[in-house]
Amino acid sequence: MKKTLMLATLLGTSLLLTCATYADDAALLEEGRKVAMELPPKLLAKLQENIASSGLEGAIPVCKDLAPKMAGAIAQQTGWKIKRVSLKTRNSARAVPDAWEKAALEEFDQRAAAAESPAKLEKGERIGNEYRYIKALPVQPLCLNCHGPAENLGTAVQEVLKNHYPDDQAVGYSEGQIRGAISLRKPIE
Ligand code: HEC
């Protein structure tokens, strides 16, 4: 009798714990999604501002310097580490995906090829003592100026890109493809 009671209590506790985990995970997914959505519009606004004032080639430093600076500011405010990754990197010093990110990027490409909307592709997962969230960044018309096929890139842009990124792989994209992803992680108890 005592044994059964103990077993029932144990079972009950683990069930409760499991439910709590699911509730936490849903909240973490929601939080990660919210934080991830802060960076792209801010970056896009700065990019457009710089393209208007100094041309496309003059806007390249925005991606280079401002993106990590903005990501750092968001990390300080929210506790989520945030970076951009890609299967075809422009800046291989920053944007090479780790195994989890690579698997997610490959999955996103497959799902986009199967006609899922690239803007909706995301994944959240608890891994060890971290929660990780990743969201696809689809290629929009503006992106083609710096990530498109040769005919979309101006000669000035090509020149600046070659100087800053001699091993650039991030060209040749077309609209709607997945350029990379925004990847977040946060420690959890
Ligand atoms: C003015 C040129 C320019 C435009 C327009 C532009 N990018 Fe970039 N992008 C860059 C540069 C330069 C880098 C390298 C940044 C660095 O050094 O970290 C980069 C890097 C990235 C990265 C990080 C991964 C990597 O390969 O290094 C992603 C993801 C990305 N861009 C997505 C986009 C998307 C999506 C758009 C359109 C919404 C876009 N970019 C528009 C110039 C541009």
Side-chain angles (χ1 to χ4, degrees):
M1 176 68 191
K2 218 172 161 193
K3 244 190 191 158
T4 326
L5 200 71
M6 236 171 75
L7 202 69
T9 316
L10 262 173
L11 247 163
T13 318
S14 64
L15 258 176
L16 264 175
L17 278 174
T18 315
C19 290
T21 307
Y22 281 130
D24 281 359
D25 283 11
L28 283 161
L29 176 71
E30 188 57 43
E31 195 185 316
R33 185 185 289 145
K34 218 176 108 212
V35 176
M37 275 154 72
E38 282 184 35
L39 186 66
K42 281 188 190 160
L43 202 56
L44 204 63
K46 274 280 166 208
L47 205 58
Q48 277 160 338
E49 205 180 297
N50 277 265
I51 291 171
S53 63
S54 13
L56 279 163
E57 65 278 15
I60 287 171
V62 176
C63 260
K64 189 164 190 187
D65 304 326
L66 214 61
K69 224 183 257 173
M70 282 180 170
I74 294 175
Q76 269 204 328
Q77 283 161 19
T78 65
W80 288 81
K81 270 200 209 151
I82 175 166
K83 66 184 289 199
R84 297 188 305 168
V85 291
S86 176
L87 293 172
K88 293 202 304 174
T89 56
R90 173 152 288 165
N91 189 334
S92 55
R94 286 185 185 140
V96 175
D98 66 18
W100 186 82
E101 290 162 334
K102 186 168 177 282
L105 282 163
E106 285 167 354
E107 185 194 314
F108 290 165
D109 277 344
Q110 281 161 14
R111 286 167 59 187
E116 272 191 65
S117 161
K120 293 200 181 123
L121 296 170
E122 62 170 2
K123 188 174 172 182
E125 200 175 352
R126 176 187 293 263
I127 298 190
N129 57 355
E130 271 190 325
Y131 190 83
R132 303 194 64 171
Y133 174 81
I134 186 163
K135 180 173 174 45
L137 293 169
V139 174
Q140 304 168 35
L142 174 76
C143 320
L144 295 175
N145 293 299
C146 297
H147 294 296
E151 61 268 26
N152 282 91
L153 307 169
T155 41
V157 168
Q158 290 190 35
E159 196 59 33
V160 177
L161 286 178
K162 204 165 66 199
N163 289 340
H164 286 272
Y165 309 100
D167 61 347
D168 186 12
Q169 298 175 60
V171 289
Y173 284 90
S174 45
E175 196 182 337
Q177 277 188 312
I178 294 164
R179 169 61 192 94
I182 191 154
S183 173
L184 280 75
R185 58 207 301 169
K186 182 176 141 162
I188 45 177
E189 293 82 45

